[in-house]
Amino acid sequence: MRVAVLSGGVGGAKFVRALVETLGGSNVTAIVNVGDDVEVLGLRVSPDLDSVLYALAGIADEARGWGRADETWRARETVSALGGEDWFALGDRDLGLHLVRTQALRAGMPLSTVTARITSALGVATRLLPATDDRLRTWIATEAGEFTFQQWFVARRHRDEVDALRFVGAETAMPAPGVVEAIAAADLLLLAPSNPYVSIAPILAVHAIREALSERRVPCVAVSPLIGGRAVKGPADRMLRRLAGGTSPAQVASCYLGLIDSLVVDEADAQDLGGLGDVRPIVTRTLMSDADARRRLAEVALGTVPA
Ligand code: GDP
Ligand code: CA
């Protein structure tokens, strides 16, 4: 079975890893959000691509929940001591990747090509595709003003309630090479349990990607990022409450109108399945607490084991 999965960073990464462990790396194409991308210290950082890459390469820091394992912070100490830009933490090992990526981009290589090189250099067989090679950036409108995604998420610790989102560049962004082809060639499409507003929506903001999904001839299954109406981590629940009016499965599904056929929801949300319309609920345990749990979730989403 070949699958294409839309993914954000950490939550998405755990799910993509589970798919790879279940199906084998060469049967999985991950289409990853780039709306969070940011320039730090003159370097191009792609946090969601890197989270998926580090998870698949087995070098993610699972305890901290982001970045690389066995990380050191010498460069950052120097930056801070010199009064440099230190609001966005980049470890030494992580920095090495950003250096390589930035140099290649400056030489004119598209992000998808750079990503393919880095992925293969780390021995990862799964295809990781940025949603687009074009510049696409998420902006967050709040009462305190409008911020880039990382200003809001990292610098302001996402404390401001979100009134609206904009995906600057999406209007003209083309899907990266292979994205539409992977969607067309898939036997099953998946939306990872990522934040619908800031991880999946920026991917869907690329018109040709949304169109490819809405014209699908195979099922599309989304996995809810909420358990008992709450995000495992991050602001997804707050955003759903404010922007969709609540955190029920129907409100999660409303983010993917016309794009999904099934929604995998946690047992803790099973009492509240009203309003899903044509979307079929699949109830199971969705916390990816360890390898067994994440693999079982993948198998349920793939339909290879009953919920
Ligand atoms: P980010 O880009 O690093 O913010 O990561 P994502 O958007 O891909 O993932 C964030 C979402 O993952 C959050 O809304 C979490 O609730 C969700 N999440 C994280 N771990 C799990 C899990 O084990 N199960 C489920 N169902 N959702 C999870
Ligand atoms: Ca992200």
Side-chain angles (χ1 to χ4, degrees):
M1 193 194 302
R2 269 176 311 178
V3 304
V5 54
L6 272 49
S7 173
V10 175
K14 282 192 259 176
F15 185 67
V16 174
R17 183 180 188 187
L19 292 173
V20 168
E21 288 165 348
T22 306
L23 293 175
S26 57
N27 292 315
V28 177
T29 301
I31 300 163
V32 181
N33 174 40
V34 292
D36 300 5
D37 286 18
V38 61
E39 277 77 32
V40 184
L41 293 163
L43 301 179
R44 167 71 173 274
V45 181
S46 296
D48 287 3
L49 278 170
D50 295 344
S51 293
V52 177
L53 176 59
Y54 291 158
L56 294 182
I59 56 176
D61 190 313
E62 292 178 34
R64 190 170 57 237
W66 56 273
R68 280 191 64 163
D70 297 322
E71 191 58 281
T72 54
W73 304 90
R74 295 290 174 81
R76 187 173 191 228
E77 282 158 26
T78 304
V79 170
S80 299
L82 298 176
E85 187 185 1
D86 65 357
W87 63 280
F88 196 92
L90 298 173
D92 299 331
R93 291 175 191 275
D94 195 28
L95 265 170
L97 188 157
H98 306 315
L99 289 167
V100 169
R101 173 194 288 128
T102 303
Q103 186 190 36
L105 290 172
R106 286 213 182 117
M109 195 183 279
L111 179 62
S112 54
T113 309
V114 185
T115 305
R117 292 207 178 172
I118 294 173
T119 304
S120 114
L122 286 174
V124 170
T126 310
R127 207 141 59 112
L128 294 192
L129 299 175
T132 179
D133 281 333
D134 300 327
R135 190 183 168 89
L136 186 161
R137 293 294 157 91
T138 300
W139 283 77
I140 308 278
T142 76
E143 265 194 355
E146 195 178 30
F147 303 104
T148 65
F149 176 81
Q150 300 296 355
Q151 281 170 339
W152 171 72
F153 194 85
V154 174
R156 299 180 66 85
R157 306 209 169 118
H158 53 78
R159 63 174 175 265
D160 322 272
E161 294 296 330
V162 177
D163 293 328
L165 298 106
R166 280 198 304 147
F167 306 112
V168 175
E171 278 302 313
T172 53
M174 300 296 293
V179 168
V180 169
E181 294 82 352
I183 293 172
D187 301 307
L188 182 72
L189 300 165
L190 295 152
L191 308 189
S194 293
N195 186 312
Y197 293 103
V198 293
S199 291
I200 304 294
I203 306 175
L204 298 172
V206 178
H207 294 300
I209 299 182
R210 174 179 287 272
E211 205 170 81
L213 280 183
S214 59
E215 290 170 357
R216 70 195 176 281
R217 300 228 177 95
V218 297
C220 182
V221 179
V223 181
S224 172
L226 301 187
I227 298 183
R230 303 178 67 147
V232 177
K233 200 176 167 190
D237 47 2
R238 273 166 60 212
M239 298 181 83
L240 275 154
R241 220 171 290 123
R242 189 164 171 96
L243 299 170
T247 59
S248 71
Q251 280 146 335
V252 174
S254 75
C255 297
Y256 304 134
L257 218 60
L259 300 179
I260 61 170
D261 303 288
S262 305
L263 179 68
V264 178
V265 303
D266 195 84
E267 287 171 357
D269 300 291
Q271 73 295 341
D272 193 13
L273 297 176
L276 278 170
D278 291 343
V279 175
R280 184 174 68 97
I282 301 172
V283 177
T284 191
R285 252 176 294 172
T286 69
L287 185 66
M288 294 176 280
S289 46
D290 58 27
D292 280 349
R294 69 177 178 254
R295 185 170 178 139
R296 233 192 51 81
L297 176 61
E299 288 171 347
V300 170
L302 293 167
T304 51
V305 306

mmCIF file of all heavy atoms in Angstrom, residues 7-14 36 48 51 153 193-195 199 223-227 230-233 236 286-289 297, ligand 1:
data_model
loop_
_atom_site.group_PDB
_atom_site.id
_atom_site.type_symbol
_atom_site.label_atom_id
_atom_site.label_comp_id
_atom_site.label_asym_id
_atom_site.label_seq_id
_atom_site.Cartn_x
_atom_site.Cartn_y
_atom_site.Cartn_z
ATOM 1 N N SER A 7 1.587 16.550 6.890
ATOM 2 C CA SER A 7 2.127 16.549 8.250
ATOM 3 C C SER A 7 2.695 17.897 8.659
ATOM 4 O O SER A 7 3.281 18.617 7.850
ATOM 5 C CB SER A 7 3.242 15.497 8.336
ATOM 6 O OG SER A 7 3.910 15.555 9.581
ATOM 7 N N GLY A 8 2.539 18.181 9.962
ATOM 8 C CA GLY A 8 3.267 19.274 10.596
ATOM 9 C C GLY A 8 4.522 18.716 11.236
ATOM 10 O O GLY A 8 5.135 17.785 10.692
ATOM 11 N N GLY A 9 4.884 19.266 12.372
ATOM 12 C CA GLY A 9 6.162 18.920 12.993
ATOM 13 C C GLY A 9 6.085 17.726 13.917
ATOM 14 O O GLY A 9 6.009 16.581 13.466
ATOM 15 N N VAL A 10 6.023 17.991 15.209
ATOM 16 C CA VAL A 10 6.261 16.931 16.182
ATOM 17 C C VAL A 10 5.151 15.878 16.215
ATOM 18 O O VAL A 10 5.421 14.673 16.182
ATOM 19 C CB VAL A 10 6.487 17.559 17.572
ATOM 20 C CG1 VAL A 10 6.620 16.476 18.616
ATOM 21 C CG2 VAL A 10 7.732 18.445 17.546
ATOM 22 N N GLY A 11 3.885 16.337 16.266
ATOM 23 C CA GLY A 11 2.770 15.380 16.277
ATOM 24 C C GLY A 11 2.746 14.606 14.973
ATOM 25 O O GLY A 11 2.573 13.386 14.940
ATOM 26 N N GLY A 12 2.934 15.317 13.882
ATOM 27 C CA GLY A 12 2.974 14.691 12.571
ATOM 28 C C GLY A 12 4.128 13.704 12.463
ATOM 29 O O GLY A 12 3.971 12.609 11.917
ATOM 30 N N ALA A 13 5.265 14.091 13.002
ATOM 31 C CA ALA A 13 6.467 13.258 12.895
ATOM 32 C C ALA A 13 6.260 11.887 13.538
ATOM 33 O O ALA A 13 6.659 10.858 12.989
ATOM 34 C CB ALA A 13 7.661 13.967 13.536
ATOM 35 N N LYS A 14 5.604 11.883 14.702
ATOM 36 C CA LYS A 14 5.368 10.598 15.386
ATOM 37 C C LYS A 14 4.504 9.700 14.509
ATOM 38 O O LYS A 14 4.733 8.486 14.405
ATOM 39 C CB LYS A 14 4.643 10.839 16.727
ATOM 40 C CG LYS A 14 5.546 11.335 17.832
ATOM 41 C CD LYS A 14 4.840 11.265 19.188
ATOM 42 C CE LYS A 14 4.328 12.630 19.605
ATOM 43 N NZ LYS A 14 3.554 12.616 20.863
ATOM 44 N N ASP A 36 5.851 27.496 8.861
ATOM 45 C CA ASP A 36 6.610 27.843 10.078
ATOM 46 C C ASP A 36 8.042 28.232 9.776
ATOM 47 O O ASP A 36 8.774 28.559 10.706
ATOM 48 C CB ASP A 36 6.788 26.622 10.993
ATOM 49 C CG ASP A 36 5.528 26.001 11.487
ATOM 50 O OD1 ASP A 36 4.454 26.431 11.075
ATOM 51 O OD2 ASP A 36 5.641 25.073 12.297
ATOM 52 N N ASP A 48 9.349 22.040 10.711
ATOM 53 C CA ASP A 48 8.500 20.854 10.568
ATOM 54 C C ASP A 48 9.190 19.781 9.732
ATOM 55 O O ASP A 48 9.178 18.591 10.083
ATOM 56 C CB ASP A 48 7.129 21.230 9.992
ATOM 57 C CG ASP A 48 6.265 21.967 11.030
ATOM 58 O OD1 ASP A 48 6.769 22.219 12.147
ATOM 59 O OD2 ASP A 48 5.101 22.292 10.726
ATOM 60 N N SER A 51 11.702 18.208 12.051
ATOM 61 C CA SER A 51 11.113 17.320 13.063
ATOM 62 C C SER A 51 10.809 15.955 12.464
ATOM 63 O O SER A 51 11.087 14.914 13.078
ATOM 64 C CB SER A 51 9.815 17.913 13.623
ATOM 65 O OG SER A 51 10.093 19.079 14.361
ATOM 66 N N PHE A 153 4.566 31.943 18.207
ATOM 67 C CA PHE A 153 4.647 30.633 18.863
ATOM 68 C C PHE A 153 5.809 30.575 19.844
ATOM 69 O O PHE A 153 5.650 30.140 20.983
ATOM 70 C CB PHE A 153 4.816 29.539 17.796
ATOM 71 C CG PHE A 153 4.585 28.152 18.335
ATOM 72 C CD1 PHE A 153 3.301 27.626 18.405
ATOM 73 C CD2 PHE A 153 5.645 27.365 18.761
ATOM 74 C CE1 PHE A 153 3.077 26.357 18.898
ATOM 75 C CE2 PHE A 153 5.429 26.088 19.258
ATOM 76 C CZ PHE A 153 4.140 25.580 19.323
ATOM 77 N N PRO A 193 -2.113 13.681 12.855
ATOM 78 C CA PRO A 193 -2.714 14.412 13.985
ATOM 79 C C PRO A 193 -1.897 15.662 14.307
ATOM 80 O O PRO A 193 -1.324 15.791 15.387
ATOM 81 C CB PRO A 193 -2.671 13.387 15.124
ATOM 82 C CG PRO A 193 -1.510 12.512 14.790
ATOM 83 C CD PRO A 193 -1.483 12.433 13.288
ATOM 84 N N SER A 194 -1.854 16.560 13.362
ATOM 85 C CA SER A 194 -1.121 17.819 13.494
ATOM 86 C C SER A 194 -2.124 18.930 13.752
ATOM 87 O O SER A 194 -3.328 18.731 13.611
ATOM 88 C CB SER A 194 -0.346 18.100 12.200
ATOM 89 O OG SER A 194 0.684 17.150 12.023
ATOM 90 N N ASN A 195 -1.622 20.100 14.107
ATOM 91 C CA ASN A 195 -2.506 21.241 14.351
ATOM 92 C C ASN A 195 -3.219 21.617 13.032
ATOM 93 O O ASN A 195 -2.556 21.963 12.049
ATOM 94 C CB ASN A 195 -1.677 22.415 14.880
ATOM 95 C CG ASN A 195 -2.540 23.589 15.287
ATOM 96 O OD1 ASN A 195 -3.434 24.011 14.553
ATOM 97 N ND2 ASN A 195 -2.269 24.134 16.460
ATOM 98 N N SER A 199 -0.555 23.788 11.019
ATOM 99 C CA SER A 199 0.291 22.765 10.381
ATOM 100 C C SER A 199 -0.327 22.245 9.081
ATOM 101 O O SER A 199 0.356 22.142 8.073
ATOM 102 C CB SER A 199 0.550 21.595 11.339
ATOM 103 O OG SER A 199 1.375 22.006 12.405
ATOM 104 N N VAL A 223 -6.421 12.028 11.282
ATOM 105 C CA VAL A 223 -6.339 11.618 12.689
ATOM 106 C C VAL A 223 -6.454 12.883 13.537
ATOM 107 O O VAL A 223 -5.707 13.850 13.324
ATOM 108 C CB VAL A 223 -5.017 10.886 13.001
ATOM 109 C CG1 VAL A 223 -4.973 10.453 14.462
ATOM 110 C CG2 VAL A 223 -4.833 9.680 12.072
ATOM 111 N N SER A 224 -7.382 12.877 14.486
ATOM 112 C CA SER A 224 -7.574 14.063 15.330
ATOM 113 C C SER A 224 -6.386 14.262 16.269
ATOM 114 O O SER A 224 -5.894 13.304 16.871
ATOM 115 C CB SER A 224 -8.848 13.915 16.163
ATOM 116 O OG SER A 224 -8.915 14.973 17.098
ATOM 117 N N PRO A 225 -5.935 15.511 16.419
ATOM 118 C CA PRO A 225 -4.855 15.789 17.366
ATOM 119 C C PRO A 225 -5.355 15.982 18.800
ATOM 120 O O PRO A 225 -4.555 16.306 19.681
ATOM 121 C CB PRO A 225 -4.263 17.100 16.821
ATOM 122 C CG PRO A 225 -5.439 17.801 16.241
ATOM 123 C CD PRO A 225 -6.347 16.712 15.685
ATOM 124 N N LEU A 226 -6.659 15.819 19.002
ATOM 125 C CA LEU A 226 -7.207 16.046 20.346
ATOM 126 C C LEU A 226 -7.513 14.730 21.040
ATOM 127 O O LEU A 226 -7.922 13.754 20.408
ATOM 128 C CB LEU A 226 -8.491 16.870 20.266
ATOM 129 C CG LEU A 226 -8.400 18.247 19.613
ATOM 130 C CD1 LEU A 226 -9.725 18.980 19.767
ATOM 131 C CD2 LEU A 226 -7.254 19.071 20.180
ATOM 132 N N ILE A 227 -7.313 14.725 22.348
ATOM 133 C CA ILE A 227 -7.694 13.576 23.174
ATOM 134 C C ILE A 227 -8.511 14.129 24.331
ATOM 135 O O ILE A 227 -8.019 14.948 25.108
ATOM 136 C CB ILE A 227 -6.436 12.820 23.669
ATOM 137 C CG1 ILE A 227 -5.657 12.275 22.467
ATOM 138 C CG2 ILE A 227 -6.830 11.709 24.644
ATOM 139 C CD1 ILE A 227 -4.420 11.450 22.815
ATOM 140 N N ARG A 230 -8.747 17.882 24.281
ATOM 141 C CA ARG A 230 -7.547 18.677 24.575
ATOM 142 C C ARG A 230 -6.387 18.263 23.697
ATOM 143 O O ARG A 230 -6.223 17.082 23.370
ATOM 144 C CB ARG A 230 -7.139 18.487 26.038
ATOM 145 C CG ARG A 230 -8.280 18.854 26.981
ATOM 146 C CD ARG A 230 -7.867 18.625 28.383
ATOM 147 N NE ARG A 230 -6.811 19.577 28.744
ATOM 148 C CZ ARG A 230 -6.663 20.077 29.961
ATOM 149 N NH1 ARG A 230 -7.488 19.717 30.920
ATOM 150 N NH2 ARG A 230 -5.691 20.910 30.215
ATOM 151 N N ALA A 231 -5.572 19.245 23.335
ATOM 152 C CA ALA A 231 -4.354 18.947 22.591
ATOM 153 C C ALA A 231 -3.384 18.204 23.498
ATOM 154 O O ALA A 231 -3.329 18.471 24.704
ATOM 155 C CB ALA A 231 -3.721 20.241 22.086
ATOM 156 N N VAL A 232 -2.649 17.259 22.923
ATOM 157 C CA VAL A 232 -1.608 16.574 23.697
ATOM 158 C C VAL A 232 -0.534 17.594 24.077
ATOM 159 O O VAL A 232 0.047 17.542 25.160
ATOM 160 C CB VAL A 232 -1.004 15.416 22.872
ATOM 161 C CG1 VAL A 232 0.130 14.735 23.620
ATOM 162 C CG2 VAL A 232 -2.099 14.405 22.507
ATOM 163 N N LYS A 233 -0.313 18.543 23.194
ATOM 164 C CA LYS A 233 0.676 19.601 23.411
ATOM 165 C C LYS A 233 0.325 20.739 22.451
ATOM 166 O O LYS A 233 -0.132 20.484 21.350
ATOM 167 C CB LYS A 233 2.065 19.046 23.063
ATOM 168 C CG LYS A 233 3.213 19.809 23.671
ATOM 169 C CD LYS A 233 4.532 19.133 23.366
ATOM 170 C CE LYS A 233 5.690 20.056 23.701
ATOM 171 N NZ LYS A 233 6.951 19.529 23.204
ATOM 172 N N ALA A 236 -3.679 23.713 19.760
ATOM 173 C CA ALA A 236 -4.748 23.288 18.835
ATOM 174 C C ALA A 236 -6.132 23.384 19.481
ATOM 175 O O ALA A 236 -7.098 23.801 18.832
ATOM 176 C CB ALA A 236 -4.490 21.863 18.336
ATOM 177 N N THR A 286 -5.552 6.991 20.600
ATOM 178 C CA THR A 286 -4.712 7.726 19.650
ATOM 179 C C THR A 286 -3.438 8.298 20.260
ATOM 180 O O THR A 286 -2.672 8.962 19.560
ATOM 181 C CB THR A 286 -5.486 8.886 18.980
ATOM 182 O OG1 THR A 286 -5.746 9.894 19.958
ATOM 183 C CG2 THR A 286 -6.795 8.409 18.361
ATOM 184 N N LEU A 287 -3.186 8.058 21.553
ATOM 185 C CA LEU A 287 -1.957 8.594 22.156
ATOM 186 C C LEU A 287 -0.762 7.742 21.712
ATOM 187 O O LEU A 287 -0.719 6.543 21.984
ATOM 188 C CB LEU A 287 -2.055 8.624 23.687
ATOM 189 C CG LEU A 287 -0.866 9.287 24.391
ATOM 190 C CD1 LEU A 287 -0.801 10.775 24.055
ATOM 191 C CD2 LEU A 287 -0.934 9.087 25.896
ATOM 192 N N MET A 288 0.190 8.375 21.018
ATOM 193 C CA MET A 288 1.365 7.637 20.512
ATOM 194 C C MET A 288 2.458 7.641 21.571
ATOM 195 O O MET A 288 3.519 8.213 21.405
ATOM 196 C CB MET A 288 1.836 8.276 19.207
ATOM 197 C CG MET A 288 0.821 8.128 18.079
ATOM 198 S SD MET A 288 1.295 8.981 16.569
ATOM 199 C CE MET A 288 0.815 10.663 16.960
ATOM 200 N N SER A 289 2.177 6.947 22.689
ATOM 201 C CA SER A 289 3.076 7.016 23.839
ATOM 202 C C SER A 289 4.340 6.196 23.646
ATOM 203 O O SER A 289 5.373 6.488 24.235
ATOM 204 C CB SER A 289 2.325 6.555 25.090
ATOM 205 O OG SER A 289 1.612 5.375 24.783
ATOM 206 N N LEU A 297 -1.982 2.758 16.106
ATOM 207 C CA LEU A 297 -2.748 3.877 15.537
ATOM 208 C C LEU A 297 -2.580 3.903 14.014
ATOM 209 O O LEU A 297 -3.550 4.084 13.280
ATOM 210 C CB LEU A 297 -2.286 5.208 16.158
ATOM 211 C CG LEU A 297 -2.945 6.466 15.565
ATOM 212 C CD1 LEU A 297 -4.462 6.449 15.774
ATOM 213 C CD2 LEU A 297 -2.343 7.737 16.179
HETATM 214 P P1 GDP B 1 4.242 20.999 15.465
HETATM 215 O O1 GDP B 1 4.400 21.482 14.048
HETATM 216 O O2 GDP B 1 5.526 20.609 16.095
HETATM 217 O O3 GDP B 1 3.379 21.895 16.285
HETATM 218 O O4 GDP B 1 3.479 19.623 15.354
HETATM 219 P P2 GDP B 1 2.121 19.163 14.703
HETATM 220 O O5 GDP B 1 1.231 20.270 14.292
HETATM 221 O O6 GDP B 1 2.445 18.111 13.698
HETATM 222 O O7 GDP B 1 1.516 18.430 15.941
HETATM 223 C C1 GDP B 1 0.941 19.109 17.027
HETATM 224 C C2 GDP B 1 -0.304 18.363 17.424
HETATM 225 O O8 GDP B 1 0.017 16.992 17.632
HETATM 226 C C3 GDP B 1 -0.907 18.852 18.721
HETATM 227 O O9 GDP B 1 -2.156 19.433 18.445
HETATM 228 C C4 GDP B 1 -1.056 17.586 19.566
HETATM 229 O O10 GDP B 1 -2.291 17.522 20.214
HETATM 230 C C5 GDP B 1 -0.901 16.484 18.557
HETATM 231 N N1 GDP B 1 -0.307 15.274 19.116
HETATM 232 C C6 GDP B 1 0.927 15.136 19.629
HETATM 233 N N2 GDP B 1 1.116 13.871 20.064
HETATM 234 C C7 GDP B 1 -0.033 13.209 19.805
HETATM 235 C C8 GDP B 1 -0.469 11.862 20.042
HETATM 236 O O11 GDP B 1 0.256 11.025 20.575
HETATM 237 N N3 GDP B 1 -1.749 11.538 19.636
HETATM 238 C C9 GDP B 1 -2.579 12.478 19.049
HETATM 239 N N4 GDP B 1 -3.805 12.080 18.693
HETATM 240 N N5 GDP B 1 -2.192 13.742 18.818
HETATM 241 C C10 GDP B 1 -0.942 14.100 19.202
#
